[in-house]
Amino acid sequence: MLLLQAVRQAAYRSAFPRRGVLTDMEIRFFRYAELTSACWIEAVPTAGEPATPDRHPVRVVASQNGEVVFTATATINATAPASAPVRVHATPWPFGEALGS
């Protein structure tokens, strides 16, 4: 799951400053990633599918100890920029008080 999250973050970072939603992800694993060694994640532009204003494909390659662990293709579909940030406010529940009092 951690490697899938790495692909997601690399795709969003490569699409910056555009906002979008990850809609497609295709991964091909070649070997296990070991916990005792660093795993390098690299995002590169895709060769076959060019980016458009509303679609940003990216190729992600993970390597460890000089060997490729996996390759992935992820696509970010652009969304309209928000006009203002959404803020959510919550009022803490008075846990020490009874309901209705």
Side-chain angles (χ1 to χ4, degrees), residues 15-55:
F16 185 80
R18 293 179 279 184
R19 292 183 180 201
V21 176
L22 180 67
T23 57
D24 301 315
M25 186 186 298
E26 181 180 325
I27 300 178
R28 185 170 183 190
F29 288 91
F30 300 105
R31 61 188 286 280
Y32 287 102
E34 301 295 332
L35 296 175
T36 58
S37 182
C39 186
W40 295 97
I41 307 296
E42 180 182 10
V44 294
T46 57
E49 191 177 345
T52 62
D54 61 338
R55 188 171 167 85

Side-chain angles (χ1 to χ4, degrees), residues 8-98:
R8 180 183 167 275
Q9 288 183 20
Y12 277 114
R13 177 63 185 107
S14 71
F16 185 80
R18 293 179 279 184
R19 292 183 180 201
V21 176
L22 180 67
T23 57
D24 301 315
M25 186 186 298
E26 181 180 325
I27 300 178
R28 185 170 183 190
F29 288 91
F30 300 105
R31 61 188 286 280
Y32 287 102
E34 301 295 332
L35 296 175
T36 58
S37 182
C39 186
W40 295 97
I41 307 296
E42 180 182 10
V44 294
T46 57
E49 191 177 345
T52 62
D54 61 338
R55 188 171 167 85
H56 180 77
V58 63
R59 183 168 185 258
V60 179
V61 179
S63 55
Q64 186 176 56
N65 299 326
E67 295 183 43
V68 174
V69 175
F70 71 81
T71 60
T73 303
T75 303
I76 302 289
N77 280 341
T79 58
S83 57
V86 177
R87 293 194 172 105
V88 178
H89 298 280
T91 304
W93 176 265
F95 289 104
E97 299 175 13

